[in-house]
Amino acid sequence: MRRVYLDNNATTPVLPAVLEAMQAYFAEHFGNASSIHHHGQETRAAVERARQSVAALLGCRASEVVFTSGGTEGDNLAIFGLVRSGPVQRGTARAGDHVISSTIEHHAVLSSCKQLESSGCEVTYVPVDGQGRVDPDDVRRALRPNTRLITIMMANNETGVLQPVEEIGKVAAQADVYFHTDAVQVAGKVPIDVKRLGCDLLSISGHKMNAPQGVGALYVRKGTILRPMLYGGSHERSRRAGTENVPGIVALGRAAELAREVFAHGDLERMAGLRDRMEQTILDEVDATGVNGAGSLRVPNTSSIYFDGIEGEALVIALDLKGLAVSTGAACSSGAIEPSHVLTAMGLSPERARGSLRFSLGKQNTAEDVEFALALVPSTVARLRELSPIYNKQAVSR
Ligand code: PLP
């Protein structure tokens, strides 16, 4: 059976050139990068080359790149590294610290903020408008004398909506508050320049940009003192203890190089063209549907579409049975399907949020893949709606 994967915001396949680059670092060049002998020197050089490549992708110095195990660790290190710093009681936030975040963050940030709240720190979650955008003026208004950190994502994982991070960076700089942005869904899709963004910390994840799962990086602006989360050796300039994941780091470095080539060759325009064609055809062929965040700037690969009268999970399963992999933003909690916090924050009703699907393209997707999706989605939605008494009742009154 033909299978088409349009869930690249969940994870991406490792590109052949990335796999080739990392393969030599399992058995051939296996040294511990901290060893002083030949084997260690070889892997140390590979780690430092990868650091240069990641730095070139982000527009920073190599010494400002800290390798992590992925986006979740980068987000946690940024948040707990700063907010817990200072004269803290062991394991708790310094009472009185204030953090500004948003209602649409990934759980890697939201759950970290909840954890801070449970240990005495106050967090303000700024809202988004109907198009999924944070207003930088809301961030400015949320500032307090004790605000320690602003953590607001660069692009949302469900809608792909790009946030006005450059403006937020200016707000942070004027107030002299640290600014972290989760750029996990941006790296490899839109060029990043940390200097232009004005952020102090920025996290990326390998497996969202064609490197493997379990590796990532955090940009830490020179001079930012982070309290580490892991204690051990003095790896990563004492910011992240633990023997380096050399094959993963080499892969991330290679993926960063390839991402820059993609920007140079205009391949992202091709991806945006495929995404736009897919969206427009679905909107033309299916009633009672729309694109979440369509009025905002978005990363070129992501499309979040609501289908009224449909349970998103049922549609995901029906499409999967026919070979198409997409996803919902819903989370399953204690057996019940919770609507996506991102879509409800944008003002969607719980029903409309539950009836939303995320299509996310990757570098490997072709025009034929989009045709395959278009051959399935309208007919599958129509079949599920035929079975939906609620939709049919509403249709009579439409
Ligand atoms: N931040 C965002 C916006 C994400 O989309 C994800 C993964 O879905 C993460 C953080 C977590 O990254 P990782 O899976 O590398 O821990």
Side-chain angles (χ1 to χ4, degrees):
M1 184 168 100
R2 174 156 186 211
R3 287 203 176 269
V4 168
Y5 182 81
L6 296 185
D7 196 16
N8 290 272
N9 284 11
T11 198
T12 55
V14 175
L15 287 177
V18 173
L19 187 60
E20 196 190 314
M22 76 188 290
Q23 248 158 1
Y25 292 88
F26 285 102
E28 199 181 330
H29 309 303
F30 58 85
N32 183 324
S34 299
S35 300
I36 56 173
H37 48 58
H38 166 80
H39 302 274
Q41 285 174 26
E42 244 176 13
T43 46
R44 169 58 51 206
V47 166
E48 296 315 319
R49 274 197 303 275
R51 203 184 302 281
Q52 296 280 358
S53 304
V54 172
L57 181 72
L58 303 181
C60 65
R61 301 169 208 224
S63 57
E64 293 174 316
V65 172
V66 177
F67 288 116
T68 64
S69 64
T72 301
E73 186 187 328
D75 289 348
N76 275 258
L77 180 56
I79 294 170
F80 294 109
L82 278 176
V83 180
R84 281 172 51 190
S85 61
V88 292
Q89 238 181 307
R90 231 187 127 129
T92 61
R94 186 169 46 181
D97 267 351
H98 174 241
V99 174
I100 301 173
S101 190
S102 83
T103 48
I104 56 154
E105 297 300 309
H106 188 270
H107 282 109
V109 167
L110 278 184
S111 301
S112 301
C113 287
K114 294 279 170 234
Q115 177 57 31
L116 285 178
E117 284 183 284
S118 72
S119 52
C121 171
E122 287 181 291
V123 183
T124 303
Y125 301 92
V126 294
V128 291
D129 63 15
Q131 296 304 322
R133 265 173 64 105
V134 165
D135 180 348
D137 283 333
D138 283 339
V139 177
R140 192 191 313 277
R141 280 188 286 268
L143 285 166
R144 298 185 194 168
N146 58 339
T147 306
R148 173 89 175 144
L149 172 71
I150 298 169
T151 171
I152 295 192
M153 68 197 328
M154 193 168 172
N156 182 264
N157 41 301
E158 290 183 36
T159 60
V161 170
L162 283 156
Q163 299 302 324
V165 275
E166 229 176 296
E167 284 100 309
I168 297 170
K170 289 193 184 111
V171 170
Q174 277 162 11
D176 198 17
V177 167
Y178 286 111
F179 176 35
H180 163 246
T181 189
D182 173 336
V184 165
Q185 293 293 350
V186 182
K189 297 175 189 165
V190 174
I192 296 175
D193 178 350
V194 291
K195 299 287 176 302
R196 198 168 48 76
L197 298 180
C199 59
D200 302 290
L201 302 124
L202 178 145
S203 21
I204 66 168
S205 171
H207 74 107
K208 311 288 184 177
M209 49 177 286
N210 304 103
Q213 295 156 3
V215 67
L218 179 67
Y219 155 73
V220 182
R221 187 204 285 263
K222 185 170 183 255
T224 308
I225 307 214
L226 275 191
R227 184 188 176 98
M229 289 180 48
L230 302 176
Y231 292 89
S234 53
H235 311 86
E236 299 297 297
R237 298 171 170 241
S238 297
R239 293 169 296 192
R240 200 276 187 184
T243 301
E244 294 87 345
N245 165 10
V246 177
I249 289 171
V250 168
L252 182 60
R254 188 72 186 106
E257 286 166 13
L258 294 175
R260 292 180 71 217
E261 285 171 23
V262 165
F263 298 147
H265 294 147
D267 287 357
L268 293 173
E269 284 76 25
R270 184 194 71 91
M271 193 187 267
L274 289 180
R275 190 269 313 266
D276 292 348
R277 169 167 157 61
M278 181 180 67
E279 253 178 19
Q280 199 49 52
T281 310
I282 291 176
L283 296 193
D284 290 346
E285 293 188 8
V286 185
D287 288 344
T289 178
V291 175
N292 300 315
S296 293
L297 281 177
R298 289 178 289 154
V299 287
N301 79 318
T302 308
S303 188
S304 168
I305 304 185
Y306 67 80
F307 298 93
D308 283 344
I310 292 279
E311 275 296 337
E313 300 283 302
L315 184 52
V316 167
I317 293 165
L319 291 172
D320 187 44
L321 289 172
K322 294 176 183 174
L324 179 65
V326 293
S327 71
T328 67
C332 192
S333 89
S334 56
I337 297 169
E338 292 291 330
S340 142
H341 69 282
V342 174
L343 300 180
T344 50
M346 290 166 68
L348 270 73
S349 65
E351 294 72 34
R352 187 165 269 185
R354 276 199 204 92
S356 292
L357 247 57
R358 177 182 72 186
F359 301 81
S360 50
L361 277 71
K363 297 190 180 87
Q364 76 285 4
N365 288 125
T366 60
E368 290 72 44
D369 292 344
V370 167
E371 292 312 316
F372 181 82
L374 290 174
L376 290 179
V377 173
S379 57
T380 311
V381 171
R383 193 173 56 78
L384 288 179
R385 280 180 174 167
E386 269 167 31
L387 302 173
S388 159
I390 301 167
Y391 183 76
N392 290 323
K393 206 160 121 203
Q394 286 169 349
V396 171
S397 58
R398 259 199 296 272

